[in-house]
Amino acid sequence: MLILRCPAQLQLLEETLRKSLPTTLPVLGTVMTVARGNPASHEVLVDSWPHFSIVLTRLRPEDHRDPKDYYINQLSVFYRDKGALQALLGGTEAVTRERAFQIVGMQDGLDEAVQEVASAKGMKVE
């Protein structure tokens, strides 16, 4: 996953996400916040740039306070391809299983994809 820090990249991403409202709303707010100074210490990750399949927003790992607090460890996601979401959850460093987390998204199939990956890994999802 690539972390977007460049203001031009963040602005282009913001414009792209606006075209797919309301499903992009969970990540769009964070993208806008990061592009405007990032007072909340979040980061925006994409699988590739500029043609991305998934956008993930999260608190910077160094700012995590409690690995058991899934409210602080909230992830927001927008994906164009369910396979990209499953790959993200199943085997990337962007989502670590050492921390409890909650994932927020507004797309159909998000819950099923999370359940499938969790079942394959023998993990419990609440």
Side-chain angles (χ1 to χ4, degrees), residues 10-36:
L10 291 165
Q11 183 168 359
L12 181 59
L13 180 60
E14 181 180 332
E15 291 169 8
T16 302
L17 293 172
R18 283 181 186 272
K19 295 175 185 174
S20 297
L21 282 170
T23 56
T24 59
L25 193 57
V27 296
L28 180 58
T30 303
V31 170
M32 292 172 64
T33 299
V34 171
R36 288 160 180 77

Side-chain angles (χ1 to χ4, degrees), residues 41-58:
S41 297
H42 281 86
E43 55 188 15
V44 176
L45 295 91
V46 293
D47 59 339
S48 61
W49 185 256
H51 304 289
F52 61 89
S53 296
I54 192 163
V55 178
L56 175 76
T57 64
R58 66 180 184 188

